Amino acid sequence: MKCNRCDNTAVYSRKYSGESLCSECFSNSILRKTAKTISKYNMIGNGELVCVAVSGGKDSLALLHVLSRMSENHNFAIHAITVDEGIPGYREEALEIVKKFCSDLGVSHSVYEYKKLFDLTLEESLKSRENEKTSSCSICGTLRRRAMDHAAKQIGANVIATGHNLDDTLQTFIINTISGDTNKIGWMDPDTSANSLRKVKPFCEIYESEIVFYAFTNNLPFQSEPCPHMNEGIRTEIREFLNKLESSHSGIKNNMYNSVVKLSQIVRESNYKERTKCIKCGTDCTGTICSVCKMLIDLKD
């Protein structure tokens, strides 16, 4: 079978569009789609420094690879950062992979440790939690966001870019819905251009399966060891459910994503709250104390 865009042999079938693509045309399509998303949502401005969060997984390494290629022809710079949660036997492999990958790309790289930032590792925080209703992912995600904020401030970045893909967005939407946390749906609009420090997701309109193939066809290294806490929550079950739907109804994820963005905008406008400064750390929040400081107080008491 030939590629629909050139005369080379097709290696990827994009079912929702009916396209068959060779390796080069597929990779170029991911670059173009990422660039289109960045432009649509005003994610990166002229001359800005982008802090790219790189965990060592396929999504973040693919994002770093794509942004590195884009920065060669566009006026922005990138600096990779990796957050070390302090999970024994897990983070070491990723740090080595990211360090070498950044060196090969010629990209600056910095590591930020939970232990140094918060005076406790993820494992220590799990022992301190009141009960297991507060999941490891919930604690880790909250602390990770603050670590990235700190990193961006330290390196002088205007933007934080993460490798979250379209599937991640859909899974998060369902989690927020079934947990009754509808306010968070209002935070899911990919346009964060009004924020002083923008957190952007350039892959938010790309399927996870396509990012996997991009990593494969471009021979990108990525961590083989899964996070030991990855199956604590419901996200894996939701991923499998959505993949089954997509397999039977090609394009259903794209349709759902468009609905999620529209719903997010409606919820955000209806639940608007004046932002204030956290009395503990000075970070923007909607109450008197931010979620990070509240969590750290709970864990250390």
Side-chain angles (χ1 to χ4, degrees):
M1 190 188 328
K2 282 191 175 182
C3 174
N4 292 143
R5 302 187 184 185
C6 71
D7 291 329
N8 292 328
T9 301
V11 295
Y12 188 88
S13 176
R14 185 173 276 157
K15 292 183 179 179
Y16 63 80
S17 67
E19 291 179 288
S20 295
L21 302 170
C22 69
S23 179
E24 184 176 358
C25 288
F26 172 82
S27 293
N28 288 336
S29 76
I30 296 299
L31 259 73
R32 284 194 293 270
K33 194 164 188 176
T34 304
K36 185 177 179 181
T37 299
I38 290 172
S39 177
K40 185 199 302 187
Y41 297 116
N42 303 304
M43 291 183 174
I44 301 175
N46 189 44
E48 290 189 311
L49 174 61
V50 181
C51 173
V52 186
V54 187
S55 65
K58 62 186 183 319
D59 300 292
S60 62
L61 286 168
L63 178 64
L64 182 62
H65 189 257
V66 167
L67 291 181
S68 176
R69 291 178 64 181
M70 288 179 61
S71 67
E72 295 172 359
N73 302 310
H74 296 79
N75 187 26
F76 69 86
I78 58 176
H79 185 121
I81 64 109
T82 302
V83 176
D84 183 357
E85 313 91 341
I87 303 175
Y90 168 67
R91 183 50 65 196
E92 293 87 351
E93 178 193 16
L95 286 171
E96 286 302 313
I97 290 171
V98 175
K99 182 179 179 181
K100 184 179 186 307
F101 192 63
C102 288
S103 176
D104 292 342
L105 291 177
V107 174
S108 299
H109 176 236
S110 304
V111 178
Y112 293 85
E113 301 175 15
Y114 278 6
K115 187 66 175 178
K116 291 182 179 179
L117 293 174
F118 310 118
D119 195 31
L120 80 172
T121 66
L122 177 62
E123 297 303 301
E124 291 169 345
S125 70
L126 294 181
K127 294 176 183 177
S128 301
R129 63 183 170 179
E130 290 185 5
N131 56 64
E132 293 190 5
K133 287 185 178 179
T134 304
S135 70
S136 56
C137 290
S138 175
I139 294 173
C140 190
T142 300
L143 299 182
R144 179 180 296 276
R145 286 190 292 273
R146 176 54 54 84
M148 290 192 295
D149 289 349
H150 174 82
K153 184 176 181 180
Q154 189 172 78
I155 66 177
N158 313 91
V159 187
I160 299 172
T162 62
H164 293 91
N165 54 56
L166 183 146
D167 294 61
D168 292 323
T169 300
L170 302 188
Q171 293 158 21
T172 300
F173 173 79
I174 293 176
I175 289 171
N176 289 337
T177 301
I178 62 179
S179 65
D181 203 348
T182 52
N183 283 341
K184 286 184 179 178
I185 294 173
W187 306 348
M188 299 184 70
D189 187 347
D191 188 347
T192 61
S193 57
N195 298 349
S196 55
L197 175 61
R198 302 191 306 285
K199 295 179 180 178
V200 303
K201 302 170 183 176
F203 282 167
C204 66
E205 297 184 326
I206 301 176
Y207 281 21
E208 180 180 29
S209 58
E210 297 199 346
I211 296 171
V212 171
F213 190 76
Y214 181 90
F216 171 76
T217 198
N218 285 281
N219 296 313
L220 304 187
F222 54 87
Q223 186 171 20
S224 59
E225 187 72 23
C227 175
H229 304 291
M230 68 174 291
N231 291 320
E232 278 190 26
I234 198 172
R235 188 176 290 270
T236 299
E237 294 175 63
I238 295 172
R239 176 186 290 110
E240 292 171 354
F241 166 70
L242 290 171
N243 285 341
K244 186 176 180 180
L245 281 178
E246 180 69 25
S247 178
S248 302
H249 310 278
S250 295
I252 201 168
K253 288 182 183 178
N254 276 324
N255 294 340
M256 184 177 174
Y257 175 80
N258 291 330
S259 297
V260 168
V261 172
K262 291 175 183 176
L263 286 169
S264 176
Q265 293 166 349
I266 293 169
V267 173
R268 183 182 60 184
E269 291 172 6
S270 63
N271 290 344
Y272 177 77
K273 291 183 180 179
E274 194 70 37
R275 299 190 76 81
T276 59
K277 298 288 185 182
C278 172
I279 60 173
K280 295 283 290 183
C281 68
T283 302
D284 286 347
C285 63
T286 55
T288 56
I289 186 168
C290 71
S291 60
V292 179
C293 288
K294 185 177 184 307
M295 179 171 286
L296 288 171
I297 291 171
D298 291 342
L299 290 172
K300 291 180 179 181
D301 278 354

